[in-house]
Amino acid sequence: MFHGLLLQDISVGSGEKFFVRGVSLVVPAGELHILVGPNGAGKSSLLKALAGHPDYAVSAGEFFLDGENLLEMTPEERSRCGLFLAFQSPVPLPGVALGRMLQVARQERQPKGAPIDVRAFYGELCNAMESLGMERSWATRFVNDGISGGESKRCELLQILLLHPKYLLLDELDSGLDMDAVNLVAETLEKLRRAGTGILCVTHRQSLLQTLNPDRIHILREGRLLCSGGMELAEELHVRGFQGF
Amino acid sequence: MAVDIDFSSSSGDFSYATTYAHDAGCGLGEETVRYISKLKEEPEWLLQFRLRALKVFERMDLPKWAPLKKAQLDISKLHCYLSQGERPKTDWEDVPQEVKQTFDRLGIPEKERKFFAGVEAQFDSEMAYANLQESLRAQGVIFVNSTEGLLHYEKCFRPFFGTVIPVGDNLFSALNGAVFSGGSFIYVPEGVKVKQPLQAYFRINAERFGQFERTLIIIDKDAEVTYLEGCTAPKFDSDTLHAAVVEIVALPGAKMRYITVQNWSNNVYNLVTKRAIAHENAEMRWIDCNIGSKLTMKYPAVILEGEGASGSVLSISVARDGQRQDTGARMIHRASNTRSRIVAKSLSIGDGDSTYRGTISMGRDVENCRSYSRCDAILMDDKSISRTFPHIDCRNDRCIVEHEAAVSKISSEQLFYLRQRGIGESQALSLIVNGFFDELIREFPMEYGVELKRLIEMEMDAGAGRKREGARNVC
């Protein structure tokens, strides 16, 4: 069986409103791919559709994760299969503590009726927070409530470390970050890639291409995949810009 | 000290066939009132009180804003008094079989052992069981039913009875005045601090019945007590009526916390008048949680009578399909340097209707008073309704009154975020709603808080999986 994300001829939207048309690409386990394109190219819509957002229905095509057909699943089932979407601007959840949410998310991954080891979980949570330079008080803060752009990215990374997804969909994970934070993101992603995680990272910033050192680059414009290639595409993009493709 | 208290809406839905020795028959008239008064061997002054109340009830009507018409009550079809003619027992073993079965099933005796300093359990019109820890009795604490209170402790009872809530206060207080039976009389002597809560449990067992308990609590200087009431009823096809009156007198320096967890079945009209008077430096807190009933009208009040007194109302309400929770609070600042605080949170599910009515009043002669109120509402579905009617009457410029209100809908983005983390839809809704109520639940005694959370989670399960769009807010 092939280990990876497999998008076959995916279209999102219908009628007058198409976000993405006929996108096919493969992200094997342990590789980092970048989907780059100008604003409005359909990058975010594609990621939301893959994660099962009700407002972004996949209207044609197929989507597999390690051979499993994800399009037939609810968003929570896709998540439990190992798919994680890191949001560009995560929605605030006032009243919901970060630690509590993660605990429930872990509980929901257990077979019916099996409890999680709460102490072990909180130990793991503390370690993960430390590795991201987050104070312990984050565990009781409300998810995405009243936090800066940089902080919200850290929270997304923390969730990745705790939920152990097999594949990541990252939506502009670098936006609003200073150079130190971008390096922290890059380091964390590199560790995950080496550990076998497959990563599809969406950005409109060409500068990230160098920092992340991707295995492959895909260029999306006006909802269509224009071309895919290795690092040489980054060079070409730098010279010609998106309009050159 | 963990108490397993089941608040689930179905756990109270059972009834045992019961034979009643005393039945005032259907309807309400002078003979009903005389029947009850005679049966209870009441003094003449109380009979006159009842008859006066009946007259007031007959000519009074509901205010225009009420979500109910007087005719809808249809008292002619209800039994206003039903009892087995037994005095309340102090030992569960002596309680009549079907009554004991009922309370066993509701877990009351077990909870008493684990958690409470005293328990009263009312079955239809009369208390079936009443007990108070010996040590408290020795300190002079009185915890009996209202009939016993007025018969045996008249000196203490009579001067306060009907003074906080006069008979003619509203239609339901008049109705209660005419036919009241059961409810607690509590007196806590000066300086006595009752650490464990006292509990009263109100159970409606009979169909086509009206329960009219009346509670009077007097907390003497610098004394403290927490009182907790729970209510359940089986689900009948016909409507049932519950119209209670609760009067509280907190003397200087006294501290009172009154907690209600109302989980009537949804054929019960719950029309309750609750008011406390707080003297100098007294502290009165109402914690009011309304989850059941068809319609609740209840606005706990504190009259801040003495300087330095403070009052608060924390209100949680959940209105499901077909339910209306018309709740709120009233704070009457009658002395300077008084404080009040109201936090009301409501959740409307399906076509459930949650209404907040608040009154803050500060007269011309008071100064340096502060009042803060906040009403938050969550609407779950497109048909859900939330209304807020805050009324602020401040007649001077030396006081501070703040009011905040917010209505929100659980957005599809919030749900999607949690679901993307692998959390199923009903769990996700639960997380958000529990988070919403959390700051209030934390003010409950811990054991109750845990159970309350579970109950709200169960209400959420039924609310999950529907469309949530375009909910209305009427402000």
Side-chain angles (χ1 to χ4, degrees):
Chain A
M1 186 191 64
F2 168 71
H3 284 278
L5 292 179
L6 180 60
L7 284 70
Q8 280 180 334
D9 217 11
I10 292 273
S11 294
V12 179
S14 58
E16 303 253 298
K17 183 93 182 149
F18 265 100
F19 298 101
V20 170
R21 274 180 203 267
V23 169
S24 298
L25 60 88
V26 175
V27 183
E31 288 194 8
L32 191 155
H33 289 206
I34 286 186
L35 184 64
V36 67
N39 284 326
K43 308 184 295 294
S44 295
S45 309
L46 175 64
L47 295 196
K48 283 183 181 163
L50 295 178
H53 195 296
D55 296 347
Y56 299 87
V58 171
S59 46
E62 292 189 285
F63 176 41
F64 296 95
L65 181 154
D66 290 352
E68 295 228 49
N69 184 353
L70 289 199
L71 291 186
E72 288 170 358
M73 296 182 188
T74 62
E76 54 271 30
E77 287 165 345
R78 295 182 202 199
S79 165
R80 290 173 210 157
C81 274
L83 187 72
F84 188 101
L85 169 60
F87 292 82
Q88 181 181 4
S89 338
V91 63
L93 294 160
V96 182
L98 181 59
R100 172 80 188 135
M101 177 188 78
L102 283 166
Q103 192 189 334
V104 173
R106 283 279 282 263
Q107 181 66 58
E108 294 268 286
R109 284 164 166 75
Q110 294 283 100
K112 260 255 174 296
I116 63 164
D117 183 341
V118 176
R119 271 185 69 169
F121 163 74
Y122 275 95
E124 206 183 313
L125 177 62
C126 288
N127 289 340
M129 286 192 294
E130 205 180 307
S131 76
L132 294 170
M134 297 166 79
E135 288 185 20
R136 287 202 175 183
S137 62
W138 276 94
T140 52
R141 285 177 63 170
F142 297 152
V143 180
N144 307 325
D145 196 30
I147 60 179
S148 72
E151 287 170 330
S152 79
K153 305 291 148 139
R154 252 175 238 256
C155 279
E156 297 292 288
L157 280 183
L158 178 71
Q159 294 175 50
I160 291 167
L161 295 185
L162 264 293
L163 297 179
H164 311 294
K166 294 178 190 154
Y167 298 93
L168 302 181
L169 307 173
L170 308 177
D171 197 356
E172 307 274 0
L173 200 65
D174 59 315
S175 69
L177 295 189
D178 58 33
M179 219 39 227
D180 284 351
V182 170
N183 287 336
L184 177 77
V185 170
E187 253 171 57
T188 310
L189 292 185
E190 185 53 34
K191 270 185 214 153
L192 289 166
R193 164 159 61 170
R194 284 208 197 113
T197 312
I199 302 169
L200 178 61
C201 186
V202 150
T203 184
H204 69 281
R205 298 211 313 196
Q206 297 171 34
S207 60
L208 201 64
L209 298 177
Q210 306 298 332
T211 322
L212 287 181
N213 188 27
D215 296 289
R216 259 184 111 64
I217 295 169
H218 311 273
I219 298 175
L220 190 74
R221 213 179 78 194
E222 286 160 11
R224 292 177 192 276
L225 203 59
L226 299 180
C227 62
S228 301
M231 278 305 280
E232 72 282 356
L233 263 185
E235 199 54 42
E236 260 185 83
L237 255 180
H238 186 65
V239 178
R240 295 161 59 189
F242 290 124
Q243 294 308 317
F245 285 85
Chain B
M1 200 171 59
V3 185
D4 186 26
I5 298 157
D6 190 355
F7 283 128
S8 73
S9 35
S10 60
S11 67
D13 188 14
F14 64 90
S15 66
Y16 295 108
T18 306
T19 42
Y20 295 97
H22 305 294
D23 179 351
C26 285
L28 169 61
E30 197 176 317
E31 66 289 359
T32 325
V33 171
R34 288 186 183 276
Y35 176 90
I36 295 170
S37 191
K38 190 171 174 213
L39 193 67
K40 289 174 170 286
E41 297 169 8
E42 289 173 352
E44 183 61 22
W45 69 266
L46 197 64
L47 174 64
Q48 292 309 321
F49 173 92
R50 287 182 183 274
L51 290 170
R52 211 168 55 240
L54 177 66
K55 284 220 176 71
V56 174
F57 173 72
E58 282 167 348
R59 58 160 204 266
M60 213 172 179
D61 207 344
L62 278 159
K64 280 211 182 77
W65 51 262
L68 178 74
K69 298 266 177 295
K70 191 178 179 182
Q72 276 174 272
L73 289 174
D74 202 2
I75 290 175
S76 67
K77 289 202 184 110
L78 295 180
H79 296 260
C80 286
Y81 182 88
L82 287 172
S83 84
Q84 296 175 308
E86 305 253 357
R87 281 181 41 78
K89 305 296 189 262
T90 54
D91 188 332
W92 282 106
E93 292 310 312
D94 300 332
V95 171
Q97 187 57 26
E98 68 273 17
V99 178
K100 181 172 182 298
Q101 254 178 333
T102 298
F103 287 115
D104 274 341
R105 203 159 150 182
L106 294 165
I108 309 296
E110 192 194 337
K111 282 174 230 166
E112 178 187 5
R113 282 195 297 276
K114 288 181 180 161
F115 193 44
F116 296 116
V119 165
E120 285 191 317
Q122 177 161 344
F123 192 81
D124 294 331
S125 293
E126 294 288 357
M127 291 289 181
Y129 173 87
N131 198 17
L132 177 69
Q133 273 175 10
E134 194 45 53
S135 59
L136 291 173
R137 207 186 317 240
Q139 290 180 74
V141 175
I142 300 169
F143 181 38
V144 295
N145 66 71
S146 61
T147 304
E148 221 177 305
L150 71 95
L151 290 180
H152 299 140
Y153 303 98
E154 192 181 325
K155 259 195 211 157
C156 181
F157 184 95
R158 196 172 165 184
F160 294 105
F161 177 75
T163 58
V164 185
I165 302 171
V167 160
D169 187 80
N170 64 73
L171 186 71
F172 311 128
S173 64
L175 174 60
N176 179 283
V179 292
F180 78 87
S181 177
S184 310
F185 170 63
I186 294 174
Y187 171 74
V188 186
E190 183 170 345
V192 173
K193 295 175 173 36
V194 183
K195 289 293 172 216
Q196 284 171 289
L198 300 177
Q199 195 202 28
Y201 200 89
F202 297 95
R203 174 68 179 174
I204 292 177
N205 186 67
E207 201 171 349
R208 291 191 299 276
F209 170 66
Q211 188 174 56
F212 306 101
E213 88 269 13
R214 182 156 192 130
T215 291
L216 172 62
I217 301 177
I218 300 156
I219 312 117
D220 215 326
K221 285 177 196 158
D222 302 316
E224 286 179 32
V225 69
T226 294
Y227 179 85
L228 219 151
E229 63 171 356
C231 348
T232 63
K235 170 112 183 67
F236 292 122
D237 292 333
S238 58
D239 291 335
T240 304
L241 175 60
H242 175 252
V245 163
V246 177
E247 296 180 287
I248 293 176
V249 180
L251 291 168
K255 284 185 186 164
M256 168 84 205
R257 185 163 61 150
Y258 191 111
I259 301 171
T260 304
V261 178
Q262 179 270 104
N263 194 20
W264 294 117
S265 53
N266 59 8
N267 57 317
V268 175
Y269 283 98
N270 184 44
L271 312 165
V272 175
T273 312
K274 288 182 163 161
R275 193 172 304 155
I277 184 156
H279 291 274
E280 233 171 280
N281 297 319
E283 253 181 67
M284 176 65 214
R285 306 174 72 191
W286 296 101
I287 300 179
D288 202 44
C289 180
N290 293 293
I291 291 183
S293 85
K294 178 178 189 170
L295 166 69
T296 286
M297 286 176 71
K298 180 175 19 162
Y299 321 97
V302 184
I303 300 169
L304 299 149
E305 185 70 26
E307 282 215 20
S310 67
S312 75
V313 172
L314 304 179
S315 168
I316 291 178
S317 62
V318 179
R320 286 263 299 271
D321 273 320
Q323 286 185 299
R324 174 149 185 186
Q325 307 286 10
D326 204 297
T327 60
R330 298 175 62 196
M331 293 291 174
I332 318 295
H333 292 256
R334 294 227 298 227
S336 296
N337 302 310
T338 48
R339 303 268 176 282
S340 64
R341 176 172 170 254
I342 300 165
V343 181
K345 296 201 172 214
S346 71
L347 170 69
S348 307
I349 306 171
D351 65 9
D353 182 336
S354 302
T355 299
Y356 169 84
R357 291 178 208 277
T359 303
I360 308 293
S361 128
M362 290 175 182
R364 214 165 291 148
D365 308 325
V366 298
E367 22 187 75
N368 191 29
C369 296
R370 276 193 93 121
S371 177
Y372 171 78
S373 9
R374 181 154 58 88
C375 318
D376 294 337
I378 284 190
L379 301 169
M380 203 69 150
D381 294 272
D382 50 354
K383 301 172 290 182
S384 310
I385 299 172
S386 160
R387 308 168 209 258
T388 312
F389 301 101
H391 179 78
I392 295 169
D393 178 11
C394 182
R395 290 166 191 255
N396 67 73
D397 54 8
R398 301 175 302 279
C399 293
I400 300 171
V401 182
E402 292 170 88
H403 175 85
E404 291 175 26
V407 183
S408 53
K409 235 172 130 268
I410 296 176
S411 72
S412 58
E413 290 305 318
Q414 288 175 319
L415 266 186
F416 179 65
Y417 188 90
L418 290 169
R419 294 179 75 185
Q420 208 300 306
R421 298 315 183 229
I423 298 170
E425 191 175 5
S426 77
Q427 269 287 350
L429 289 170
S430 252
L431 261 179
I432 295 172
V433 168
N434 266 319
F436 172 69
F437 283 126
D438 194 51
E439 65 172 307
L440 295 190
I441 288 174
R442 265 186 268 159
E443 307 226 13
F444 276 70
M446 199 179 79
E447 296 76 6
Y448 270 74
V450 169
E451 288 304 311
L452 204 53
K453 276 192 174 180
R454 223 185 57 198
L455 175 59
I456 291 166
E457 262 160 35
M458 285 168 41
E459 299 286 313
M460 302 303 308
D461 271 351
R466 282 200 302 263
K467 244 182 113 190
R468 273 163 290 277
E469 270 173 18
R472 271 190 294 160
N473 173 40
V474 188
C475 204

